[in-house]
Amino acid sequence: MSYDRAITVFSPDGHLFQVEYAMEAVRRGSTAVGVRGKDCVVLAVERRALAKLQDPRTIRKIVSIDERSVLAFAGLTADARVLINKTRVEAQSYRLTCEDAPSVEYLARYIARTQQKYTQRGGVRPFGIATLLAGFSEEGKPVLYQTDPAGTHSEWKAQVIGGRNAKSLREFLEKNWEEGMEEEKAVRIGVQALLEVVDSGAKNMEICVVRTGGKKEIMKEEDVDAIVKDIEKEAEEGKSKTSSSDE
Amino acid sequence: MDTVFGVSYKGGVVIATDQVNARSILMYQQNLDKIAELSSHSAMGVSGPNCDLVNFSEYISKNLALYELSNDGMKLSTHAQANFCRGELAKALRKGPFQVNVILGGYDENVPNGGSLYIMDYLGSCHKVNYGAQGYASNFTLSIMDRDWEEGMNEEQAVKIVEHCIRELNMRFLLNQSNFIIKVVDKDGVRTVKADSDPSDN
């Protein structure tokens, strides 16, 4: 016995409201920024203020899908867990049948395909998450993919998902992203973007650098703190310069 | 017909198999690697038809990798891996059995001697042993291992026992298995100590 009534149906003017509402759920989630550098991909996510009694280590927003791919998401955490598990099984299944690691593009396509399926099946609702998938292509170049609740996937040089200010953050990235950035610069751009939405401080963000071969490193809090202080110092100097030139 | 046997020592395990791949009167190859690497610190010597060897060992190793990824990098202990293997053998038994008999060996930091060895057969039995052998080889090698094995041996002594067994097989076993492959699993992972014939040589 299967569910036969669809939940996601067209409106008279061609909208899929359930999908659009799912995108709203993404906007309510915490921000995740992805920046592609010359030989690395940086994922920076906002860590929302936790309850005092909660153990921060159990909240994971940046996860490994496969040995070579890393994922960050924005939106409903429970939906993300389900989708991530499906994708992990798919990655191992690919390795079992093809005796080779799946490319980041393949996994992004799989996630997008799955998200789309849930907009066209009876009895289910769309996943309320958007994802950023980071890794390296077969040719060894860094890649960043984004998927959304509609089931589309696309490659980005830098992208931001989740949070109310995604639009202004994207403008910030468009202004500041350059081709061929070194790792340090890419991390800096990621942190700078996050600082626009997050209260200052390394404890409110989690930065992950993905290097050649898909090796991921979550940056230590002290190192992130140092970068944050440096950015703030520069901002202060910039402000004082403009105010002194006004005189 | 396959020779699969293993010896555990203080700090790891040694697994040895022959390298013959044959059916009926035909010899397909003499450089088969029958010791499958399951995870970073475990390996499994498998006896049985080549199809089941490959299918079973790859299925197990991919599931172990999935567990590690899904559980934040936590590795399964050798004991857990062996029980997982045994469970899969038991499940498949009354559907479509994996016709394999295995010797699974692995290294764990928090286990007293470091290395642990498990012997399993296609019916789903599983025992933790200090040394073991599958197939006809057991008739020749178990008595040698009974005599030579001691608590607290090191890798060199364990490999010596393995070489003693191989010499005995070459002398007394009807089938001529000239090539053997020996792998060690210790704190540094799985490595090949000796391969009489290079498995990657096509």
Side-chain angles (χ1 to χ4, degrees), chain B:
Chain B
M1 305 303 182
D2 302 315
T3 296
V4 177
F5 60 99
V7 178
S8 79
Y9 62 91
K10 192 175 171 75
V13 296
V14 192
I15 302 180
T17 66
D18 70 303
Q19 293 189 271
V20 164
N21 187 5
R23 273 239 304 256
S24 175
I25 56 167
L26 183 60
M27 172 101 72
Y28 292 127
Q29 67 184 121
Q30 296 242 39
N31 65 346
L32 178 63
D33 183 359
K34 297 184 194 176
I35 307 179
E37 288 170 25
L38 293 184
S39 70
S40 64
H41 288 76
S42 64
M44 183 166 73
V46 186
S47 82
N50 192 237
C51 54
D52 286 331
L53 187 161
V54 169
N55 261 343
F56 183 66
S57 59
E58 285 188 355
Y59 174 68
I60 298 294
S61 69
K62 294 298 181 270
N63 269 289
L64 295 179
L66 179 64
Y67 182 91
E68 206 178 302
L69 279 163
S70 305
N71 290 282
D72 209 24
M74 192 170 92
K75 290 195 203 314
L76 277 175
S77 64
T78 310
H79 176 80
Q81 290 180 20
N83 276 281
F84 173 65
C85 264
R86 186 219 89 81
E88 291 303 312
L89 287 166
K91 252 194 272 190
L93 180 62
R94 300 202 190 265
K95 292 187 185 152
F98 288 109
Q99 291 170 4
V100 293
N101 296 321
V102 307
I103 304 243
L104 191 159
Y107 174 84
D108 305 284
E109 253 177 32
N110 51 4
V111 160
N113 278 324
S116 35
L117 200 65
Y118 292 85
I119 186 165
M120 284 172 263
D121 71 8
Y122 73 104
L123 296 167
S125 69
C126 177
H127 287 282
K128 183 170 188 300
V129 288
N130 292 320
Y131 52 84
Q134 294 281 15
Y136 286 122
S138 60
N139 297 52
F140 303 93
T141 59
L142 279 176
S143 37
I144 295 179
M145 294 194 273
D146 276 341
R147 223 174 189 220
D148 290 356
W149 191 89
E150 267 169 8
E151 185 79 49
M153 284 192 308
N154 62 20
E155 182 192 320
E156 208 187 310
Q157 292 168 304
V159 173
K160 268 206 166 50
I161 296 184
V162 166
E163 287 172 346
H164 188 178
C165 292
I166 294 176
R167 277 198 304 276
E168 184 69 18
L169 286 164
N170 284 332
M171 190 158 36
R172 294 294 178 196
F173 189 24
L174 176 67
L175 300 183
N176 177 32
Q177 292 169 332
S178 42
N179 296 329
F180 277 80
I181 184 164
I182 307 176
K183 290 192 185 176
V184 156
V185 185
D186 61 13
K187 64 171 166 41
D188 300 321
V190 184
R191 69 174 192 285
T192 307
V193 164
K194 183 157 165 288
D196 288 324
S197 188
D198 185 5
S200 53
D201 183 6
N202 286 325

Side-chain angles (χ1 to χ4, degrees), chain A residues 52-66:
Chain A
K52 267 205 191 136
L53 295 171
Q54 196 172 41
D55 185 347
R57 285 174 308 166
T58 55
I59 310 270
R60 292 232 159 263
K61 283 205 60 178
I62 303 181
V63 296
S64 283
I65 296 292
D66 185 37

Side-chain angles (χ1 to χ4, degrees), chain A residues 31 46 165-166 168-169 192-199:
Chain A
T31 313
E46 172 194 354
N165 308 22
S168 63
L169 283 191
Q192 246 178 311
L194 259 194
L195 280 174
E196 309 249 333
V197 287
V198 150
D199 291 332

